[in-house]
Amino acid sequence: SSEMFRNNKNLTTILASADFRNDSINNSSDMFTDSTKLQGGNGTVYDANHLDKEYARIDDATNGRPGYFTIKST
């Protein structure tokens, strides 16, 4: 998991199921480092202060849970 999305300069969207959980991710250091165009489904933008699994979740910024993932429609 460490550096999984690192340095993806053109990555803008990561789609994930509503059931996605990041609990089983152990090593997440630098997971999103330098993926500067990444944006969550509710508008959360890349932030160099949030590069590990903390933001590896569906973006729910309006409820205080910002993230870089966008919920995948079925």
Side-chain angles (χ1 to χ4, degrees):
S1 302
S2 175
E3 301 183 21
M4 182 180 296
F5 301 104
R6 184 180 185 151
N7 235 3
N8 284 290
K9 303 274 186 200
N10 293 316
L11 180 65
T12 58
T13 305
I14 299 172
L15 297 177
S17 161
D19 297 329
F20 177 83
R21 301 289 178 262
N22 66 16
D23 302 340
S24 63
I25 299 172
N26 295 321
N27 183 1
S28 65
S29 62
D30 296 317
M31 182 181 261
F32 299 106
T33 299
D34 294 327
S35 295
T36 56
K37 292 182 181 177
L38 188 56
Q39 182 171 331
N42 285 320
T44 296
V45 295
Y46 176 84
D47 181 340
N49 294 308
H50 299 284
L51 302 176
D52 63 6
K53 78 175 189 176
E54 176 190 10
Y55 274 32
R57 62 184 177 199
I58 301 295
D59 187 14
D60 190 12
T62 56
N63 290 311
R65 292 183 43 84
Y68 293 139
F69 292 4
T70 300
I71 197 162
K72 181 179 178 181
S73 313
T74 54

